[in-house]
Amino acid sequence: LLQLKLWNKYRVSNIPSLIFIDATTGKVVCRNGLLVIRDDPEGLEFPWGPKPFSEVVAGPLLRNNGQTLDSNALEGSHVGVYFSAHWCPPCRSLTRVLVESYRKIKEAGQKFEILFVSADRSEDSFKQYFSEMPWVAVPYTDEARRSRLNRLYGIQGIPTLIVLDPKGEVITRQGRVEVLNDIECRDFPWHPKPVLELTDSNAVQLNEGPCLVLFVDSEDDGESEAAKQLIQPIAEKIIAKYKAKEEEAPLLFFVAGE
């Protein structure tokens, strides 16, 4: 039972997994301990605490025409940090949708940039994939910076899209789900909703930890909204309680029709 609680608390989805915790506060210092010990075997960066996005990303970025720009060009914008690779079919299908979403958001006058962090297996593959993208990327040759960004957000699988506010704080780790659920980008920058409608695209979240799913009669138009109103105050209370402790809520809330 204790083992199961720990797996759920830290949302471990694959093994081996190494998570560093501050013993005095119980807070997670780093989710991607395996990358840490690979990148810093001498422990020179110990205690491996999280650093600001601006510090981790610092350095030159690329456009697909070969032009370079400094990472401080991202300041003042919402940023989507996009972990992806050409060899991964779900990544390629998300990229096609994301290109359209990116254009819509920019055309609406919003300050938004996407940063591609490649998991490709060769520089040629990276260049081929990046040629389809209208945004910026960490140079493929800068493996250390790509690895630090993976460590910063505890990336355990791709595609992953992390959406940041202009201060570099995480708005949502579920950018992939948000983009697929909101093709018109009406809800950008996708602040998390306390209660979600269960759909094909966000059902993947059911694998990430405990969930409460309220099933309703989908033939009754008002039933889904009434169900949301029923559990929303409970969800908001639990989320606020854990946010005050700077922790993720231990439960996700869904309403399911068909």
Side-chain angles (χ1 to χ4, degrees):
L1 184 62
L2 177 59
Q3 286 176 322
L4 187 60
K5 282 183 178 177
L6 286 168
W7 277 69
N8 286 338
K9 178 176 176 63
Y10 298 113
R11 299 195 176 183
V12 175
S13 59
N14 55 15
I15 55 172
S17 190
L18 178 60
I19 297 169
F20 293 115
I21 297 160
D22 183 326
T24 54
T25 63
K27 288 182 181 174
V28 172
V29 173
C30 175
R31 290 189 176 277
N32 250 356
L34 294 173
L35 274 181
V36 165
I37 57 175
R38 189 197 75 182
D39 292 350
D40 185 24
E42 304 295 320
L44 301 176
E45 294 178 35
F46 183 83
W48 303 305
K51 295 176 180 173
F53 169 71
S54 58
E55 183 179 328
V56 177
V57 78
L61 303 177
L62 290 178
R63 292 206 178 274
N64 63 16
N65 61 4
Q67 177 192 351
T68 62
L69 66 161
D70 193 83
S71 57
N72 61 20
L74 300 175
E75 290 175 11
S77 295
H78 286 86
V79 177
V81 189
Y82 184 37
F83 299 86
S84 187
H86 189 262
W87 54 261
C88 158
C91 292
R92 293 198 303 273
S93 56
L94 178 60
T95 295
R96 287 191 289 272
V97 177
L98 195 53
V99 166
E100 292 308 310
S101 299
Y102 177 78
R103 289 194 174 122
K104 284 173 187 168
I105 293 165
K106 300 281 271 189
E107 284 167 8
Q110 301 265 22
K111 293 193 78 176
F112 181 51
E113 195 50 76
I114 293 176
L115 175 67
F116 173 40
V117 183
S118 171
D120 287 294
R121 291 167 177 158
S122 71
E123 189 166 11
D124 285 344
S125 180
F126 161 76
K127 286 177 179 174
Q128 180 189 345
Y129 193 28
F130 187 40
S131 70
E132 304 167 17
M133 301 178 184
W135 44 74
V136 298
V138 176
Y140 185 79
T141 51
D142 195 342
E143 190 177 345
R145 195 161 27 140
R146 289 191 289 123
S147 186
R148 284 197 297 272
L149 285 160
N150 273 273
R151 277 164 46 189
L152 180 62
Y153 297 115
I155 302 303
Q156 293 191 342
I158 56 172
T160 294
L161 178 66
I162 311 273
V163 182
L164 310 178
D165 69 15
K167 293 180 181 176
E169 300 292 328
V170 173
I171 292 175
T172 180
R173 299 178 58 86
Q174 300 294 339
R176 174 191 185 184
V177 170
E178 297 292 355
V179 165
L180 295 175
N181 271 352
D182 182 25
I183 297 297
E184 296 304 317
C185 307
R186 291 192 180 99
D187 295 330
F188 176 81
W190 302 301
H191 288 278
K193 297 183 180 73
V195 182
L196 297 170
E197 195 95 27
L198 191 61
T199 65
D200 287 347
S201 56
N202 67 22
V204 66
Q205 290 178 263
L206 297 177
N207 297 319
E208 294 182 8
C211 299
L212 183 148
V213 185
L214 181 55
F215 292 90
V216 298
D217 182 355
S218 58
E219 291 177 12
D220 184 337
D221 287 343
E223 194 74 21
S224 180
E225 195 51 45
K228 272 189 188 172
Q229 297 303 321
L230 180 66
I231 57 175
Q232 181 129 342
I234 302 165
E236 286 175 347
K237 186 175 179 181
I238 290 172
I239 290 165
K241 175 185 169 184
Y242 280 84
K243 191 173 183 181
K245 296 193 284 185
E246 295 182 14
E247 293 179 14
E248 284 186 47
L251 199 59
L252 295 173
F253 297 84
F254 294 92
V255 169
E258 291 193 28

